[in-house]
Amino acid sequence: ELRGVVALDGPSGTGKSTVARKLAAALSASYLDTGAMYRAVTLAVLRAGVPVADADAVAEVAAASLPEMGSDPRDPAVSMAGEDVALEIRGPEVTGAVSAVSAVARVRELLVAEQRRIIADALASPGGVVVEGRDIGTVVARDAGLKVYLTASAQARARRRSDQDVAAGRLADLERTHADVQRRDAFDSGRAVSPLRMAEDAVELDTTDLDVAGVLDRLLGLAEARG
Ligand code: C5P
């Protein structure tokens, strides 16, 4: 029974995280950022010094380092073995390696199982759960009550990503960010295991010309229409 799940999928830089958190807060729902889980596992892989191309070794590290995820949309905590890694998982090293790690089938199996467990837990209390990622509507929660697929032009997505970097005090290079966004999306869309694609029953929402309030407004309208 996954009616209480809102699945938000789409490529990077569509404003997904920002609106997912605001939507969860507005609905008094809990929040799960599945991208943060892939990022945390990637951090563990990098720290272990394991080459990302060694799928077996990567899967072994993943199995031993599942992150603990907070569910509060106003403070989405991410930790591993008690260490707060929320900041470090947004850095360039992790961003550069996360697509390769998340393409490993065994890593996805482990994290999808963990995500389903977290979702089941969240649904035990009222308010539902907003889950954001790449494969929530197609794999993790196929019976979600509402599925939205966010898109935006490549240019708008690169700009948002570099704005985020600047806001977080990281150096931003628009050209590099643009190339990185495109590389990551191509990789995420082209991988063999659960590639990034829109679920047949998802609503597509193009955010290119919308600000955060505009996107949130549409999402709240959709959530209300689905009851
Ligand atoms: O959303 P975010 O940019 O933090 O996700 C980082 C990466 O994690 C994505 O580029 C993708 O490779 C991977 N990911 C995934 N499946 C998800 C969420 C994220 O493969 N459900």
Side-chain angles (χ1 to χ4, degrees):
E1 181 53 83
L2 297 180
R3 266 182 55 85
V5 177
V6 177
L8 277 186
D9 288 302
S12 50
T14 50
K16 203 172 32 170
S17 283
T18 306
V19 295
R21 291 172 54 179
K22 286 188 187 288
L23 178 66
L27 296 173
S28 300
S30 42
Y31 167 71
L32 177 62
D33 176 2
T34 62
M37 298 175 74
Y38 288 96
R39 285 173 179 274
V41 165
T42 301
L43 177 62
V45 167
L46 293 176
R47 283 180 177 178
V50 161
V52 293
D54 185 344
D56 287 342
V58 165
E60 206 171 302
V61 174
S65 46
L66 288 183
E68 299 103 46
M69 306 299 295
S71 60
D72 179 356
R74 292 182 177 84
D75 176 25
V78 189
S79 58
M80 274 193 307
E83 177 195 353
D84 177 358
V85 294
L87 266 185
E88 198 172 352
I89 61 170
R90 307 286 161 198
E93 294 82 10
V94 169
T95 299
V98 65
S99 282
V101 169
S102 62
V104 175
R106 182 77 190 120
V107 169
R108 302 203 70 83
E109 266 170 44
L110 281 164
L111 288 187
V112 167
E114 180 68 2
Q115 287 154 14
R116 288 182 174 150
R117 193 191 60 71
I118 295 171
I119 290 168
D121 257 17
L123 291 178
S125 33
V129 57
V130 174
V131 187
E132 66 156 294
R134 301 289 188 290
D135 61 342
I136 311 308
T138 52
V139 175
V140 176
R142 279 191 213 96
D143 299 330
L146 174 62
K147 301 179 185 181
V148 181
Y149 191 83
L150 298 178
T151 60
S153 71
Q155 224 176 355
R157 294 189 288 117
R159 202 188 50 238
R160 284 179 188 147
R161 272 282 146 151
S162 71
D163 287 352
Q164 266 174 16
D165 283 342
V166 171
R170 284 187 296 269
L171 211 66
D173 171 343
L174 191 57
E175 213 133 278
R176 203 184 133 186
T177 306
H178 188 95
D180 185 66
V181 161
Q182 286 193 319
R183 178 190 60 78
R184 208 141 55 91
D185 290 346
F187 201 101
D188 291 347
S189 307
R191 72 179 172 220
V193 204
S194 35
L196 171 66
R197 62 175 179 80
M198 185 167 107
E200 271 164 31
D201 52 351
V203 179
E204 185 172 355
L205 179 54
D206 185 342
T207 68
T208 305
D209 298 317
L210 293 173
D211 60 9
V212 170
V215 178
L216 185 62
D217 210 54
R218 302 284 175 95
L219 292 176
L220 282 169
L222 289 168
E224 203 169 307
R226 298 293 157 110

